[in-house]
Amino acid sequence: MPLEVGIIGAGIGGLSAAIGLRRAGAHVEVFERSNFADEVGAAITITPNGSRILDSWGFNNDDAHIVEAAGMRMVDADDLQPMLTEEFRSLKDEFGSKMGFYHRAELHRVLREMAQSNDGSQPGKPVKLKLGEAVVHVDCDNGVTKDLVVIADGIRSNLIKDVTGKKQPAKDLGWSAYRCLIPMDSVLEDKDLRGLFDGEAPGYWVPCNPSDAFYMVTYPCRTRRGKLLMNVALRHTTKSHNEKKEDWNSPATVEDALDVVSPYHPLLGQLLQKAEEIKVHKLLRRDPLDRYSRGRAVMLGDAAHTIPPTHAQGAVLAIEEAAALETLFRGVGGKDLVPGRLKVYGNVMKKHIHIVQHLSDTIPGMYDEYRQKAEELWGDGLYPCEAYGFSAPVRQFLYSYDVRAEIEEGMRKAGML
């Protein structure tokens, strides 16, 4: 009998789990509390450790209008002079896949189409998606009617206590992020801004001042109609009038964002003034969890962990977790084997989740409590503290991780292979 799976949440993590488990032979039903037409948000990066998995699933990058990342330019926020340049052109040769920039709605759309496809492009039975269906409680020990339940309902999940046995609310860090999308045409038409981007290969352009912990991250993405946009993210101390703005799509003003960049080069403000609208959301953090499963239920994605965009591993980790479930439950039928498989999941994934979370919480180039925890957890072999995000040591550490190989090794140790 095929495994009957219920997934709570149809974001990137939930849809990735749906694809992976469908490919493993399970019958999958997804329950999503919203009635969205598309995923909200601006742009998103998928690094090679996630892209390899998407490639193995037959993800159509052309349909998702990928912009392949060619490199990174970090510049001094005061004078815009180069500080660090990194090339990404060799990533496919080094790690087996590329780094991609996506409009979040396009990535979400293609994942949803893959999950529900009935044209033979995906093995297994098409996933059933039920919109407007909220799940408010999961009785992991006695009341799970599905063979396997995957909790993927986001950072504000109310179901964490059902798995861990205690409330673990996300904490306010005192930081927020402004985000906006700017038409690249309007940037290149500006004679002052044109020289910063004209003729440059697509990649990160990051004005920063490490002593102030100031980072303004920009990179390109494309819409469904192929329009090229510049995605901008700007971390800042939360302003008093934004204290309640935790939703991804909370509106903000250009003036608020201009205030944050005002101490630095005037072209930063000139760039932000081209934004048609600016959104703001608070940055939240939850301490790493002691466990990620109970009985026949497992958590993944933002419900299981908060991952700041420091190394672009948030969505990637959710995709890795989905591939772990695909590997664990390939060909498995019936609920009796599920708790044992989820025990292997916890044994393998807990350390990986914790290390990614600690490293993402750390401000690049600084030694703080999160870096210390990462060193205590990992031991020898961690990249140097002074390595900046997306630099070669960080890429080697994160992008070489093979979640399927790690899960298979865990299954061998448990006598499952």
Side-chain angles (χ1 to χ4, degrees):
M1 291 286 291
L3 207 63
E4 297 291 336
V5 177
I7 297 178
I8 304 168
I12 290 172
L15 290 177
S16 296
I19 293 167
L21 288 164
R22 169 186 176 170
R23 294 175 64 86
H27 291 176
V28 182
E29 197 168 20
V30 180
F31 302 87
E32 167 59 44
R33 62 174 171 258
S34 73
N35 287 288
F36 56 69
D38 281 307
E39 175 75 328
V40 299
I44 193 167
T45 302
I46 304 296
T47 56
N49 45 325
S51 295
R52 286 195 307 271
I53 295 167
L54 295 181
D55 291 345
S56 74
W57 290 343
F59 185 91
N60 189 329
N61 282 297
D62 292 335
D63 189 22
H65 301 288
I66 185 177
V67 176
E68 189 167 344
M72 177 183 69
R73 295 180 294 145
M74 294 184 70
V75 300
D76 190 306
D78 293 315
D79 57 17
L80 303 188
Q81 292 302 303
M83 294 177 60
L84 176 69
T85 301
E86 293 286 341
E87 286 282 341
F88 297 160
R89 300 181 191 275
S90 64
L91 290 185
K92 189 168 185 178
D93 291 335
E94 290 181 71
F95 304 109
S97 194
K98 67 275 170 197
M99 180 189 294
F101 300 140
Y102 301 87
H103 193 292
R104 193 180 185 95
E106 293 307 293
L107 175 65
H108 186 266
R109 174 182 59 81
V110 175
L111 289 173
R112 180 176 173 178
E113 290 172 357
M114 290 172 66
Q116 296 185 284
S117 66
N118 59 4
D119 59 3
S121 60
Q122 290 291 315
K125 185 178 179 181
V127 171
K128 294 180 180 179
L129 179 57
K130 294 190 173 184
L131 300 180
E133 296 278 350
V135 177
V136 297
H137 173 60
V138 177
D139 185 344
C140 302
D141 295 316
N142 303 306
V144 173
T145 57
K146 296 287 188 179
D147 298 329
L148 169 65
V149 172
V150 179
I151 299 169
D153 58 340
I155 192 171
R156 296 170 188 85
S157 174
N158 293 316
L159 304 177
I160 296 172
K161 183 181 178 182
D162 294 339
V163 174
T164 66
K166 54 186 176 181
K167 290 184 177 180
Q168 296 185 251
K171 302 174 183 177
D172 185 350
L173 292 172
W175 296 91
S176 293
Y178 291 122
R179 303 182 72 94
C180 61
L181 292 170
I182 301 172
M184 189 61 76
D185 286 347
S186 70
V187 176
L188 297 179
E189 288 168 359
D190 186 305
K191 62 181 180 61
D192 297 321
L193 295 172
R194 186 186 309 125
L196 299 175
F197 304 102
D198 193 23
E200 294 286 346
Y204 290 106
W205 184 70
V206 185
C208 62
N209 186 320
S211 63
D212 295 345
F214 172 82
Y215 293 89
M216 177 174 169
V217 180
T218 79
Y219 59 91
C221 66
R222 286 191 186 276
T223 67
R224 190 169 189 175
R225 296 184 177 181
K227 184 177 181 180
L228 189 63
L229 303 172
M230 174 183 288
N231 179 71
V232 181
L234 177 61
R235 192 187 70 167
H236 61 283
T237 302
T238 301
K239 296 180 180 297
S240 59
H241 56 279
N242 291 329
E243 280 292 342
K244 296 183 179 180
K245 293 187 175 181
E246 296 185 356
D247 184 81
W248 279 83
N249 267 3
S250 298
T253 66
V254 174
E255 288 72 25
D256 280 346
L258 291 176
D259 180 62
V260 174
V261 301
S262 62
Y264 306 105
H265 197 284
L267 283 184
L268 302 186
Q270 195 164 320
L271 177 62
L272 286 173
Q273 285 178 321
K274 295 186 175 296
E276 297 173 355
E277 62 177 359
I278 291 185
K279 305 293 186 180
V280 65
H281 68 273
K282 296 179 72 173
L283 300 178
L284 304 175
R285 182 183 184 276
R286 184 182 294 112
D287 289 334
L289 303 180
D290 293 332
R291 61 188 303 168
Y292 296 94
S293 70
R294 178 184 295 274
R296 290 183 279 115
V298 63
M299 295 186 299
L300 60 72
D302 288 347
H305 41 67
T306 54
I307 307 292
T310 314
H311 302 301
Q313 293 301 293
V316 171
L317 183 54
I319 292 169
E320 288 179 323
E321 291 162 337
L325 294 178
E326 175 191 14
T327 304
L328 277 165
F329 290 103
R330 185 176 294 115
V332 172
K335 63 184 181 182
D336 292 342
L337 296 177
V338 170
R341 302 269 164 155
L342 291 183
K343 183 177 180 180
V344 172
Y345 180 92
N347 291 341
V348 174
M349 297 303 296
K350 181 178 177 178
K351 181 177 180 179
H352 180 57
I353 294 169
H354 284 201
I355 197 73
V356 171
Q357 190 167 350
H358 288 319
L359 293 176
S360 298
D361 285 336
T362 300
I363 297 174
M366 296 183 64
Y367 191 90
D368 54 22
E369 62 176 303
Y370 305 121
R371 171 70 194 199
Q372 182 178 353
K373 290 177 180 178
E375 290 181 354
E376 292 171 353
L377 177 62
W378 193 261
D380 294 335
L382 194 60
Y383 59 78
C385 176
E386 59 270 18
Y388 281 88
F390 306 103
S391 62
V394 176
R395 298 197 303 265
Q396 181 61 41
F397 183 83
L398 292 173
Y399 305 169
S400 61
Y401 185 79
D402 186 339
V403 67
R404 287 178 170 131
E406 295 294 328
I407 287 291
E408 288 173 354
E409 177 61 23
M411 293 173 70
R412 275 190 287 272
K413 289 180 179 179
M416 296 175 180
L417 289 179

